[in-house]
Structures are given as C-alpha cells and as structure tokens.
Amino acid sequence: MASLASYGIAKLRSGKVRDLYAWRDELWIVASDRLSAFDVILPTPIPDKGKLLTRLSRHWFDLLEPLAPNHVLSYDLPEGIALPEFAGRLVRARKCEVIPVECIARGYLSGSGWKEYQASGTVGGYPMPAGLQESSRLPQTLFTPSTKADVGAGHDENVTEAQARAIIGDARYEQLRDLTLKIYDWAAAHARARGIILADTKFEFGLTPEGEVILIDEILTPDSSRFWPADHYRPGGPQPSFDKQFVRDYLETLAWNKQAPGPELPPEIVAKTVAKYREALEKLGA
C-alpha cells in the first residue's frame, strides 16, 4: 500500500474523533471510530461510527447550504489516490481560520444547562423561570457558547455572553449567535417532522481568506447533538436518546473520575450505541 507521503499527504494531528491531514491547499478530515465522553477519548471504538457520522454530516451540510455555506469541497478521494481506509470517512475541506468558540444552541433543559439551572436558576447566564424540570422545553432557544479545549487539555468551558464577546468581538458574536439560532430552528423543525427532537447542538465556524463565515467540522450528528425520540418525550428526567448520552449515562454508573484513561465499554453498550446511531440516520433520511 502506498504511503501518505507518496501522495503528498501530511498528517497534521488527531483530534478526539477526527484525524486531520493536509493535501495541497486542502484540509482533509477523516472521521475515526473513536468516541469521546466528558472530553476523554474512550479506549473502545464504535464500529463504523466514523462512516455514520460522515454520512449524517453530509446530509445536513447539503440541506443547510441555502442557510449557511460550509467548508466541504468533496467527499471523494482525488483520482489516482488509493486509500481505502479513508473511504466513507473523508471530507475534503477548504482551509480556514477556526473561530475560537463553539456555538451551542439549546432548545431543551439538559446536560450542563440543567446542572446550571439547578444551581443558580440560569442557563448560560440567562435567568430562567422557576419550576422548570429536567428536559423541559426552554421558553426560547438559547445561544450558549463555550471555549474549545485542545485534546488532552481538559474540558470545554462554558462562557458567558460577555466573555464570548471579549474573545471574538461584538459584531462577530452577534453574527454567530444569529446564524446558530437560525440553523438550529430550521434543523429542529426538520428533525421534529421525522419524529426526532433536537434538544441541543453545537456548531463550529471558520473564516475563509476572503472573510466569509462558513460551517466547519461536523454538524448535527449524535456526537455534537442530543437527539430524542419525540414519541417517548416526557419532561421531568433524562430522555431516551439517539446520541452518545447513552454512553454518558452508562459511564455515570461507574466509579470513574472522568479523567483519562477512560474505561473500556462492554460489548452490549457498543452494540446498543451503534444501533442508536443507525436508527437516527434512518429516521432523518440520511
């Protein structure tokens, strides 16, 4: 088998899930079968997860193109390059400057938002009405950005509106907030029509050399979103899910301090996780 170097491909780094490569003036993003939870890469791979994630991101990138341009150039290897291990996992992308905040949209009260609400009655620093339950629909969709941790450097950190504005500036903050909420509202309606509640999700954006803001990384996958089956939705506790919350819930039952190294996942958890990813893919029509 030919080496990456023989094709002029240079590996840049490995992220929590994706491996990044450079080829000519392109960035290549290859989705692995790794799974991270609580910002720790778990030692047990999820078979074909990378292919499923790439397929679902492709589905959403295509649907959302009228709302937001993205970094995708192609999903296929260039002619003359034979790397079967990349098949179904590759996104050839435009290079860009990554905007250093993750853009989170929350439509329901879950995860870190629920923990914050229990402690202070706020979500993302925004005061919320009293009496909300876990998994309640929020009075309005919230934009709650976070900073992105480097691999091995700790957890992503939620930041206040003021902190995010200080990082990226007022104009960019407002642009990303409005774009994030617009994309979330469209995607949530699309998913709901197919029996899935999009409880929350995160987007990442980049700047092209021409100054255009584009969607990058993955979008609206089980790794970046909470998907709940609408026909089982009952506020007042955790919801059954199509995403890696299933793995998080299992890990919460263990005596694990959420620091690396992560615990191995038993075969039944792996099998159920794959089944959930596939079910979400099928319901969403990807």
Side-chain angles (χ1 to χ4, degrees):
M1 183 181 296
S3 68
L4 294 176
S6 69
Y7 293 126
I9 302 168
K11 186 170 184 178
L12 301 177
R13 67 180 179 89
S14 291
K16 293 171 187 170
V17 174
R18 287 163 178 77
D19 299 321
L20 301 182
Y21 302 84
W23 181 75
R24 298 183 180 177
D25 60 349
E26 298 178 7
L27 180 70
W28 288 13
I29 305 167
V30 179
S32 75
D33 292 339
R34 297 188 296 271
L35 185 141
S36 72
F38 305 108
D39 294 312
V40 174
I41 299 170
L42 302 180
T44 312
I46 306 297
D48 285 336
K49 173 175 170 283
K51 293 181 178 180
L52 297 174
L53 292 181
T54 302
R55 184 173 154 192
L56 192 51
S57 277
R58 179 175 185 170
H59 175 71
W60 287 111
F61 276 133
D62 290 346
L63 287 175
L64 291 166
E65 181 72 34
L67 291 182
N70 60 65
H71 66 168
V72 178
L73 294 171
S74 175
Y75 298 94
D76 300 315
L77 284 162
E79 187 175 351
I81 294 182
L83 294 170
E85 65 271 28
F86 285 9
R89 302 174 181 273
L90 171 67
V91 177
R92 292 166 55 192
R94 290 190 274 172
K95 289 183 178 178
C96 65
E97 176 189 349
V98 177
I99 298 173
V101 295
E102 292 191 333
C103 296
I104 300 168
R106 299 180 186 274
Y108 292 76
L109 191 54
S110 187
S112 64
W114 168 239
K115 291 179 181 178
E116 179 186 338
Y117 178 77
Q118 289 178 293
S120 62
T122 62
V123 178
Y126 297 105
M128 290 290 109
L132 295 180
Q133 300 176 294
E134 183 176 6
S135 305
S136 289
R137 179 73 171 96
L138 292 169
Q140 69 278 340
T141 306
L142 297 179
F143 176 64
T144 61
S146 73
T147 56
K148 185 173 178 62
D150 292 331
V151 177
H155 297 282
D156 298 346
E157 295 289 341
N158 294 333
V159 293
T160 64
E161 177 179 339
Q163 289 171 319
R165 286 178 180 271
I167 294 168
I168 60 176
D170 290 337
R172 187 71 70 203
Y173 174 89
E174 290 163 14
Q175 180 186 23
L176 295 186
R177 177 198 62 200
D178 294 348
L179 188 54
T180 295
L181 295 177
K182 180 171 71 170
I183 296 170
Y184 171 85
D185 287 341
W186 190 95
H190 182 85
R192 188 61 186 255
R194 287 151 184 81
I196 291 179
I197 292 172
L198 176 59
D200 55 49
T201 192
K202 74 174 178 68
F203 302 110
E204 294 190 53
F205 294 93
L207 279 177
T208 68
E210 298 73 34
E212 182 182 30
V213 171
I214 58 173
L215 274 169
I216 64 172
D217 197 54
E218 63 176 335
I219 54 168
L220 296 160
T221 73
D223 272 16
S224 65
S225 316
R226 285 188 176 86
F227 292 121
W228 298 337
D231 57 354
H232 288 87
Y233 174 62
R234 301 289 186 276
Q239 304 298 304
S241 68
F242 293 110
D243 52 55
K244 65 180 181 180
Q245 188 63 39
F246 183 82
V247 174
R248 293 190 195 101
D249 291 343
Y250 165 74
L251 293 173
E252 290 281 19
T253 69
L254 305 180
W256 175 49
N257 63 2
K258 300 184 177 64
Q259 302 295 318
E264 293 278 356
L265 298 177
E268 62 271 19
I269 296 295
V270 171
K272 289 178 180 178
T273 301
V274 172
K276 286 294 182 184
Y277 278 53
R278 291 190 182 279
E279 187 179 355
L281 203 88
E282 291 164 5
K283 281 184 172 289
L284 290 167

